[in-house]
Amino acid sequence: MAPGHVFWAIFYFACLCSASLANNAKVNFREKEKKILDQILGAGKYDARIRPSGINGTDGPAVVRVNIFVRSISKIDDVTMEYSVQLTFREQWLDERLKFDDIGGRLKYLTLTEANRVWMPDLFFSNEKEGHFHNIIMPNVYIRIFPYGSVLYSIRISLTLACPMNLKLYPLDRQVCSLRMASYGWTTADLVFLWKEGDPVQVVKNLHLPRFTLEKFLTDYCNSKTNTGEYSCLKVDLLFKREFSYYLIQIYIPCCMLVIVSWVSFWLDQGAVPARVSLGVTTLLTMATQTSGINASLPPVSYTKAIDVWTGVCLTFVFGALLEFALVNYASRSADRAADMHRENMKKKRREMEQASLDAASDLLDTDSNATFAMKPLVRHPGDPLALEKLRQCEVHMQAPKRPNCCRSWLSKFPTSPLKKVPCLGRGQCSRSKRIDVISRITFPLVFALFNLVYWSTYLFREEEED
């Protein structure tokens, strides 16, 4: 072989070896990413002030698809009518100016941490009161740019949002709290927000709220028109059901117990004035304090709530028990005054009879000196007025008995004599005060039971209607 041919064979073999080594060397993808970012975001190549084009490169509005992940709901405040939520917010749109070569599918996406490098939708939360980003340890935000020009923006934020509430059925109510997102400056001719297809809203598993249960959530659109144009808007309605067990233990059962304790006054003796007054005033003040504590945890609304009806009726029952004792005490004192008057009349008549007997005896002693005594006949003549009176009394006692009355027969089983052992005046002033207590023992529990039946049937039925 000629020397020239040997030289060219060696040179060709060296070229093949160098090419094989170059192919086997690892590609530095970080360096590739830097070059690609410099190519698509370099100075004079990309302007973040210009919005992307519409679908298929048309001049239509840019379409931004949104989805959110609810991480936690910390509180729902009835007084300020707001709730706090922490969520991961994501937006995705197509910007054809950001297309790049994926190196045969080995470069899936580019990651940015500076949002001002690319165009961003001007979305804001329209019912937001307060909000902040999370910057521990690094800002919780990223931007991913995919080879075909798609951009994904993700950020973790905490928001305090307004939630107007209707408390007419409180605490048997359900509340709908919304999360509204809208464009601030771009109208629908330039920017449109759409929910991501499939599952636009996700909620963390085992979401725990102290006084509410998240029953369901609904997504919808809420585009708004103003004098500057029409703006795209998205909303999520979160349906919360209030947990009733807390209010049953803290409000309803204690109020029932206070009302029942106020009825103990009906079973105490009428003469135990300090005990009955202390019991009535104590339960009344406790019920008033309970009502004040309930109202302190609620906003001063102009309509009547279900809890207002309950506490108002319970307060009325406790106050009624105190008034009942005042009525019993008044009736008892009236009976005592009547008994005292009757006693005085009897003493006066007795004195008059004794005086008449003495006058008759003195007249007999002053008669004829022979001391002859006039003998009064033992048998009365028919025209004698005293005989007629006795006959009339016998006729009264011999009248036919009236038909028995069930209520009076039942009431007659209870002792109705007054504390002082004085005769009763007919059927009753001395028994009136005791019978008031007896009637109250039955009337108050029956009326309260009827109120409970009406209350629970009414508000539970209205709750089902709202559902």
Side-chain angles (χ1 to χ4, degrees):
M1 181 180 295
H5 292 94
V6 173
F7 172 78
W8 285 109
I10 295 173
F11 179 77
Y12 180 72
F13 180 75
C15 290
L16 291 176
C17 290
S18 62
S20 176
L21 291 173
N23 290 332
N24 293 330
K26 293 184 179 179
V27 178
N28 189 347
F29 289 100
R30 303 290 81 78
E31 185 67 25
K32 292 289 184 181
E33 288 180 6
K34 178 182 179 303
K35 292 181 179 179
I36 293 173
L37 288 174
D38 291 339
Q39 290 176 1
I40 60 178
L41 298 177
K45 296 183 178 180
Y46 183 88
D47 193 345
R49 298 172 298 176
I50 307 301
R51 71 169 180 87
S53 57
I55 299 176
N56 298 325
T58 62
D59 195 30
V63 177
V64 178
R65 298 192 177 274
V66 177
N67 75 311
I68 59 176
F69 175 68
V70 179
R71 293 183 173 270
S72 66
I73 300 176
S74 58
K75 69 172 183 177
I76 301 176
D77 197 334
D78 299 317
V79 178
T80 57
M81 292 193 178
E82 63 185 22
Y83 72 104
S84 299
V85 60
Q86 182 187 129
L87 50 87
T88 298
F89 175 75
R90 305 185 187 97
E91 295 176 307
Q92 192 166 7
W93 65 94
L94 182 64
D95 192 344
E96 295 182 353
R97 296 173 295 175
L98 299 176
K99 289 182 178 180
F100 62 89
D101 183 14
D102 60 353
I103 313 178
R106 287 182 287 180
L107 191 61
K108 295 182 178 180
Y109 54 80
L110 304 174
T111 302
L112 297 178
T113 57
E114 298 177 1
N116 57 356
R117 296 290 301 275
V118 297
W119 176 87
M120 293 291 298
D122 59 344
L123 182 141
F124 77 105
F125 297 92
S126 58
N127 59 333
E128 173 206 353
K129 287 187 175 182
E130 294 180 1
H132 67 272
F133 301 112
H134 293 265
N135 296 319
I136 300 175
I137 299 178
M138 292 293 291
N140 298 163
V141 58
Y142 67 79
I143 298 175
R144 290 178 180 175
I145 303 175
F146 294 89
Y148 51 91
S150 178
V151 181
L152 173 63
Y153 174 72
S154 178
I155 187 171
R156 187 166 73 99
I157 54 178
S158 291
L159 301 170
T160 299
L161 304 166
C163 178
M165 299 182 182
N166 185 354
L167 300 174
K168 288 184 178 180
L169 297 181
Y170 177 90
L172 301 168
D173 58 334
R174 284 177 168 84
Q175 301 298 336
V176 178
C177 295
S178 298
L179 173 64
R180 294 174 176 266
M181 301 161 283
S183 172
Y184 190 81
W186 298 97
T187 63
T188 52
D190 296 311
L191 179 63
V192 173
F193 289 111
L194 296 177
W195 285 112
K196 184 179 179 181
E197 297 178 358
D199 194 10
V201 178
Q202 303 96 38
V203 179
V204 66
K205 294 182 179 179
N206 301 322
L207 179 65
H208 177 70
L209 296 173
R211 290 185 299 159
F212 289 87
T213 300
L214 179 61
E215 288 192 331
K216 59 182 178 179
F217 51 87
L218 303 173
T219 57
D220 200 358
Y221 296 91
C222 54
N223 292 3
S224 61
K225 290 184 179 180
T226 66
N227 56 0
T228 58
E230 181 179 1
Y231 299 90
S232 182
C233 175
L234 304 177
K235 73 172 182 176
V236 184
D237 290 333
L238 305 173
L239 179 60
F240 296 101
K241 180 183 179 181
R242 197 181 300 271
E243 289 291 341
F244 180 68
S245 57
Y246 168 81
Y247 300 93
L248 180 65
I249 297 173
Q250 297 293 327
I251 296 177
Y252 284 90
I253 292 179
C255 288
C256 283
M257 294 173 64
L258 285 173
V259 173
I260 294 173
V261 167
S262 69
W263 298 342
V264 176
S265 174
F266 306 149
W267 299 87
L268 297 180
D269 194 82
Q270 300 174 19
V273 176
R276 296 187 71 164
V277 171
S278 300
L279 182 62
V281 173
T282 302
T283 52
L284 183 63
L285 292 178
T286 306
M287 191 67 216
T289 304
Q290 181 87 348
T291 304
S292 300
I294 295 170
N295 293 330
S297 61
L298 293 173
V301 294
S302 59
Y303 47 82
T304 303
K305 304 179 288 294
I307 195 67
D308 294 335
V309 176
W310 175 264
T311 55
V313 172
C314 290
L315 189 63
T316 302
F317 270 92
V318 174
F319 184 67
L322 185 60
L323 290 183
E324 187 271 347
F325 170 67
L327 181 61
V328 167
N329 188 267
Y330 173 77
S332 178
R333 288 187 290 107
S334 299
D336 291 343
R337 285 196 299 267
D340 292 339
M341 292 177 61
H342 179 72
R343 187 184 300 108
E344 292 296 330
N345 291 335
M346 293 298 292
K347 288 181 179 180
K348 185 177 180 181
K349 289 181 180 180
R350 190 177 299 111
R351 286 195 298 268
E352 290 177 355
M353 292 176 64
E354 290 177 354
Q355 185 65 32
S357 300
L358 292 175
D359 292 343
S362 62
D363 290 343
L364 290 174
L365 292 175
D366 293 339
T367 54
D368 193 45
S369 57
N370 295 330
T372 58
F373 297 94
M375 300 298 292
K376 295 182 179 180
L378 296 176
V379 179
R380 296 290 180 181
H381 297 286
D384 192 348
L386 184 58
L388 293 175
E389 180 65 22
K390 294 292 185 180
L391 182 61
R392 187 177 299 110
Q393 292 180 3
C394 292
E395 290 177 354
V396 171
H397 288 290
M398 293 175 63
Q399 287 180 354
K402 297 180 180 179
R403 297 182 61 182
N405 191 307
C406 297
C407 295
R408 291 182 179 178
S409 300
W410 179 76
L411 290 174
S412 64
K413 297 179 181 179
F414 295 91
T416 56
S417 60
L419 293 176
K420 297 180 180 180
K421 300 301 182 180
V422 296
C424 294
L425 301 179
R427 286 195 178 179
Q429 295 186 10
C430 65
S431 64
R432 187 180 305 163
S433 60
K434 187 64 178 179
R435 289 186 177 181
I436 293 174
D437 273 344
V438 173
I439 294 172
S440 298
R441 295 172 191 173
I442 306 301
T443 305
F444 273 71
L446 286 179
V447 176
F448 189 68
L450 179 62
F451 162 71
N452 274 270
L453 179 63
V454 174
Y455 179 86
W456 295 112
S457 60
T458 300
Y459 282 102
L460 291 178
F461 180 72
R462 288 180 61 182
E463 184 185 10
E464 292 178 358
E465 281 187 346
E466 287 194 356
D467 292 345

